[in-house]
Amino acid sequence: MANDDVVLKQYLSKYKHRDYTAREVINLIQVYRSLTYRLEAFVFNNGTRKDLLNLEGTIPVNYKGAYYNIPVCIWLMDTHPQNAPLCFVKPTADMSIKVSKYVDSNGKVYLPYLHEWTQNGSTLQKLIQCMITAFGELPPVYSKPRTEARPYPVNSFMPQPSGYPFPQGTSQPGYPTVTPYPTTSNLPYPSFGSPYPGAVNSNGMPFPPTTATTTPYPAGTGYTPGPDVAGGTITEEHIKASLLSAVEDKLRRRLKEQSQQSQAELETLRRTQQELREGKTRLEDILTRLQRERSELEKNIVVLQEKEKELETAIERLQEQEGIDVDEAVVTTAPLYSQLLNAFAEEATLEDAIYYMGEALRKEVIDLDTFLKQVRTLARRQFTLRALMHKCRQKAQLAC
């Protein structure tokens, strides 16, 4: 196990999730001991080549009460487990591929589990269990007759659709040698519909040995061999059935791809429609706000125009009037207010006189004695005026 871990990590050096993939492969080959692994070149549809890990061997399939070893190979992508593996049925020289909804004429496996592959929930062990279940329902291979005279080339009746990748490299089967045919039975072998048998002991579970008392080759469901089949001759019905099956599988895959593409485009269009509706709502809100602001601006413009006209009228009226006497411009309503106004004006003049007397002393226009004499006179008068204003405010009940 330690050696496998070291070798696997060397093989998986370019893999994105090397440790996880190595751990999963080790757990898988401990359960299915007939599986072996090696690094081989794989050619994709576009012609590119990559070195991928190939798990090759046999898996035990229970078909009508008997167990058969079905040869398979599983290619792990370098992004495993983000992307699903590529699975193929790899028949031996004694077998032929039986086309069904799970396997095409090239041996590629199609399972719902592969289409619904997820990074967190899908594993290789569950994948092989799904393959065992599907192959138990529809065997992917059938045994060839030992003596058959084929009027057509080998596999000439099988369609060869292009576009499916095939592994490149030297084929070295990693599954154990099994007895493909029983030696104690002289029953004729049907040429279609029977998966090849073999004793299975890949995961340590013993299975009943194949003897003459059991039926080693299950008969193909829904098909009765005719005289031509017993002689090994491929009839037109076989060719027609194979072609129809291949075309049906190809059309089904095409329709599914187109349906998925249409669903994705429809989902994109729905998201775009939702975004456009949200944008429309935002634009309508902005437009409503702009219209409201425009109405307010128009009202303000009207008010400003009216005020402007009033100012122009006032200016014209003032221009038509003669000069105004400043003393007569302000008229009080009572003699008390007139006395208060006159006292306030005189007190302000005294304040200015004291200020300019200080400026004259600073500039040495007058001497100090003159300054003190005049300031003393002005200050006495200013004090009298302030006392008068205080009494006037109290009499008129104004704030002091």
Side-chain angles (χ1 to χ4, degrees):
M1 179 176 176
N3 188 27
D4 288 339
D5 186 65
V6 174
V7 175
L8 272 174
K9 288 186 177 180
Q10 291 178 356
Y11 286 169
L12 303 174
S13 58
K14 296 183 180 179
Y15 275 59
K16 187 175 181 180
H17 305 282
R18 184 189 67 175
D19 296 337
Y20 177 85
T21 305
R23 186 166 57 252
E24 190 174 10
V25 170
I26 290 175
N27 294 334
L28 182 68
I29 62 178
Q30 287 179 351
V31 177
Y32 300 95
R33 298 185 182 278
S34 64
L35 294 177
T36 59
Y37 60 86
R38 60 177 174 270
L39 194 66
E40 291 183 339
F42 189 89
V43 180
F44 290 88
N45 296 341
N46 55 7
T48 59
R49 296 167 59 93
K50 275 190 177 181
D51 291 333
L52 301 179
L53 189 70
N54 179 20
L55 294 171
E56 188 174 353
T58 60
I59 58 176
V61 175
N62 184 359
Y63 183 73
K64 292 186 178 181
Y67 284 90
Y68 303 90
N69 287 332
I70 304 300
V72 296
C73 62
I74 302 174
W75 294 84
L76 302 183
M77 298 293 101
D78 54 0
T79 56
H80 183 82
Q82 292 180 356
N83 298 101
L86 296 177
C87 303
F88 295 89
V89 175
K90 193 173 182 181
T92 63
D94 300 323
M95 307 177 196
S96 293
I97 294 176
K98 182 181 179 181
V99 178
S100 66
K101 63 180 180 180
Y102 299 128
V103 180
D104 63 9
S105 58
N106 291 320
K108 188 174 182 180
V109 178
Y110 298 91
L111 293 174
Y113 190 79
L114 290 172
H115 292 289
E116 300 171 0
W117 183 274
T118 58
Q119 179 178 356
N120 298 325
S122 301
T123 61
L124 294 178
Q125 291 190 21
K126 292 181 181 179
L127 172 61
I128 291 184
Q129 291 174 3
C130 292
M131 292 173 65
I132 291 173
T133 303
F135 294 165
E137 176 186 353
L138 295 173
V141 294
Y142 63 94
S143 60
K144 296 180 182 178
R146 291 190 175 183
T147 58
E148 59 178 0
R150 295 183 177 270
Y152 302 98
V154 177
N155 288 342
S156 62
F157 66 99
M158 299 297 293
Q160 302 294 332
S162 60
Y164 293 99
F166 281 94
Q168 302 291 328
T170 305
S171 174
Q172 297 180 1
Y175 44 89
T177 304
V178 296
T179 304
Y181 302 100
T183 58
T184 60
S185 176
N186 294 323
L187 294 175
Y189 303 111
S191 61
F192 186 82
S194 304
Y196 91 112
V200 178
N201 192 17
S202 61
N203 57 356
M205 297 176 61
F207 300 108
T210 303
T211 63
T213 59
T214 59
T215 304
Y217 300 94
T221 58
Y223 174 73
T224 303
D228 293 338
V229 176
T233 304
I234 300 174
T235 63
E236 294 293 336
E237 294 182 356
H238 296 160
I239 300 175
K240 183 178 179 181
S242 177
L243 289 174
L244 288 176
S245 178
V247 171
E248 181 182 359
D249 291 341
K250 190 170 183 179
L251 287 176
R252 188 181 293 108
R253 290 193 299 273
R254 291 272 182 89
L255 288 175
K256 187 172 183 179
E257 291 175 358
Q258 291 180 359
S259 176
Q260 292 177 349
Q261 183 178 0
S262 300
Q263 289 291 339
E265 293 177 356
L266 182 60
E267 186 65 25
T268 302
L269 291 176
R270 287 176 179 172
R271 288 198 300 269
T272 305
Q273 183 183 21
Q274 183 66 23
E275 292 175 357
L276 290 175
R277 288 179 178 175
E278 293 176 357
K280 180 182 177 182
T281 304
R282 290 195 297 269
L283 290 176
E284 289 177 350
D285 294 340
I286 294 173
L287 183 60
T288 303
R289 188 170 64 253
L290 289 176
Q291 290 176 351
R292 185 169 57 252
E293 293 178 355
R294 180 180 179 182
S295 300
E296 294 177 356
L297 288 174
E298 290 177 351
K299 292 180 181 179
N300 293 333
I301 290 173
V302 173
V303 173
L304 289 174
Q305 289 176 351
E306 293 176 354
K307 296 296 181 181
E308 185 179 4
K309 290 179 181 179
E310 292 178 0
L311 289 174
E312 290 177 353
T313 303
I315 291 173
E316 290 177 356
R317 187 173 62 252
L318 290 174
Q319 289 177 351
E320 292 175 356
Q321 294 179 358
E322 297 179 355
I324 300 174
D325 188 1
V326 176
D327 294 332
E328 297 178 356
V330 180
V331 180
T332 59
T333 59
L336 180 63
Y337 295 148
S338 177
Q339 186 179 8
L340 179 61
L341 179 62
N342 293 331
F344 178 78
E346 186 178 356
E347 193 271 338
T349 57
L350 292 175
E351 184 74 26
D352 293 339
I354 294 172
Y355 169 77
Y356 284 109
M357 289 293 292
E359 289 293 318
L361 177 63
R362 185 176 62 82
K363 296 179 180 180
E364 296 181 354
V365 176
I366 59 176
D367 56 5
L368 181 59
D369 293 337
T370 303
F371 171 77
L372 293 175
K373 183 179 178 180
Q374 294 297 329
V375 168
R376 195 164 41 247
T377 303
L378 294 175
R380 188 180 297 110
R381 178 60 181 168
Q382 186 180 28
F383 176 78
T384 303
L385 292 173
R386 288 183 177 178
L388 178 61
M389 287 190 294
H390 184 70
K391 289 182 179 181
C392 290
R393 286 178 179 275
Q394 287 179 349
K395 190 69 175 177
Q397 297 181 353
L398 299 176
C400 297

